[in-house]
């Protein structure tokens, strides 16, 4: 069956630009998570959705970051006024519920020049 | 602060030998632990998990051991193969939905 998919796989942008990163979770998974992974580090939690609502956005670094999941399936992570420090791999994961195994997508590699 | 960490950042192992990757955690309230494998340019891939009411769990060629007394977790890979070369992360779930990852151990399999 299909796993978690993310688009684009790579994104290069200029400082100050706006970017959107998309995540398609495993079909039927109600829980969706965004993580950020810097080079040489483990993933760090950003935000968690249960259904359509963001149940916990405490990991978002600042108000330039925002995520939505309007229909409880696909999610979009939005970054405004990108900075060079935003360069990282952005990972999406989904699970059948919040206490079950999280399955990760391939990630979007964001480079801010 | 509380964290999940791996004892060694790198591990070199001869093909066919067994590998042991270690992980220490500090939050005694954690009740769920997961091992992920991440190959270059890919997302973390689930390997095996274990809940705090168990001390051992086996999968295909992999075994996870949990020692709650010393807050230690290990992943054993039997008969290591070239395809096992990757970065391995232990992750800790502290009773909610957030996973807390260590920095990872890079495993290199020598032919």
């Amino acid at each position: 069956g299909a796993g978690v998919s993310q688009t684009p796989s790579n994104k290069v942008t200029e400082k100050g630009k706006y970017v959107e990163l998309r995540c398609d979770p495993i079909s039927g998974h109600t829980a969706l998570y965004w993580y950020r992974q810097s080079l040489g580090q483990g993933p760090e939690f950003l935000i968690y959705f249960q259904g359509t609502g963001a149940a916990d956005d405490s990991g978002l670094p600042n108000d330039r970051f925002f995520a939505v999941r309007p229909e409880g399936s696909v999610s979009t992570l939005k970054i405004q006024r990108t900075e060079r420090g935003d360069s990282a791999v952005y990972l999406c994961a989904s699970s059948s519920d919040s206490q079950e195994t999280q399955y990760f997508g391939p990630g979007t590699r964001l480079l801010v020049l | 602060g509380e964290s999940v960490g791996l004892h060694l950042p790198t591990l070199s192992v001869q093909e066919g030998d067994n590998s042991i990757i270690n992980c220490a955690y500090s939050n005694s309230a954690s009740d769920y632990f997961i091992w992920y494998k991440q190959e270059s340019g890919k997302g973390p891939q689930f390997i095996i998990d274990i809940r705090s009411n168990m001390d051992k769990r086996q999968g295909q060629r992999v075994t996870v051991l949990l020692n709650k007394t010393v807050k230690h977790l290990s992943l054993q890979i039997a008969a290591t193969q070239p395809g096992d070369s990757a970065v391995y992360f232990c992750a800790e779930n502290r009773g909610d939905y957030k996973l807390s990852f260590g920095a990872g151990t890079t495993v290199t399999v020598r032919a």
Side-chain angles (χ1 to χ4, degrees):
Chain A
V4 178
S5 62
Q6 292 185 246
T7 55
S9 54
N10 294 280
K11 176 71 176 177
V12 181
T13 190
E14 294 179 343
K15 180 176 179 295
K17 299 291 188 182
Y18 168 84
V19 297
E20 290 189 351
L21 312 179
R22 176 187 167 107
C23 172
D24 278 88
I26 293 171
S27 178
H29 279 190
T30 59
L32 185 145
Y33 316 80
W34 284 97
Y35 291 82
R36 180 167 71 173
Q37 186 175 25
S38 300
L39 192 63
Q41 301 296 318
E44 294 181 322
F45 171 82
L46 294 177
I47 187 170
Y48 156 62
F49 286 90
Q50 181 59 253
T52 60
D56 184 349
D57 64 359
S58 63
L60 296 178
N62 51 59
D63 61 6
R64 294 187 297 106
F65 289 75
F66 188 72
V68 295
R69 195 186 185 200
E71 298 179 356
S73 178
V74 170
S75 176
T76 304
L77 178 66
K78 308 180 181 192
I79 310 174
Q80 299 176 321
R81 304 182 303 280
T82 52
E83 299 177 357
R84 293 192 180 89
D86 299 335
S87 296
V89 176
Y90 289 82
L91 294 163
C92 177
S94 71
S95 62
S96 56
D97 72 42
S98 64
Q99 299 301 312
E100 296 301 319
T101 302
Q102 296 182 26
Y103 295 94
F104 284 82
T108 293
R109 282 146 194 82
L110 175 66
L111 177 61
V112 182
L113 300 176
Chain B
E2 296 167 342
S3 65
V4 177
L6 296 173
H7 291 314
L8 293 173
T10 62
L11 177 67
S12 180
V13 60
Q14 185 70 37
E15 181 179 357
D17 287 353
N18 296 335
S19 302
I20 299 177
I21 306 167
N22 296 303
C23 180
Y25 66 95
S26 58
N27 189 339
S28 56
S30 295
D31 61 1
Y32 180 46
F33 304 88
I34 312 100
W35 282 100
Y36 286 94
K37 171 187 178 183
Q38 188 172 28
E39 296 175 276
S40 182
K42 298 184 178 180
Q45 175 189 355
F46 171 82
I47 303 173
I48 192 168
D49 58 6
I50 189 167
R51 301 208 179 255
S52 59
N53 61 351
M54 304 171 70
D55 53 20
K56 180 179 180 179
R57 192 166 187 212
Q58 290 185 290
Q60 186 176 12
R61 283 201 307 119
V62 294
T63 300
V64 56
L65 299 177
L66 176 62
N67 185 330
K68 293 181 286 294
T69 301
V70 296
K71 299 192 190 73
H72 183 269
L73 189 71
S74 68
L75 178 70
Q76 300 177 3
I77 305 173
T80 311
Q81 303 170 358
D84 295 328
S85 293
V87 179
Y88 290 80
F89 292 97
C90 63
E92 169 187 15
N93 185 305
R94 302 173 181 181
D96 59 15
Y97 37 80
K98 299 177 188 177
L99 293 181
S100 179
F101 287 80
T105 290
T106 300
V107 173
T108 303
V109 181
R110 306 188 306 272

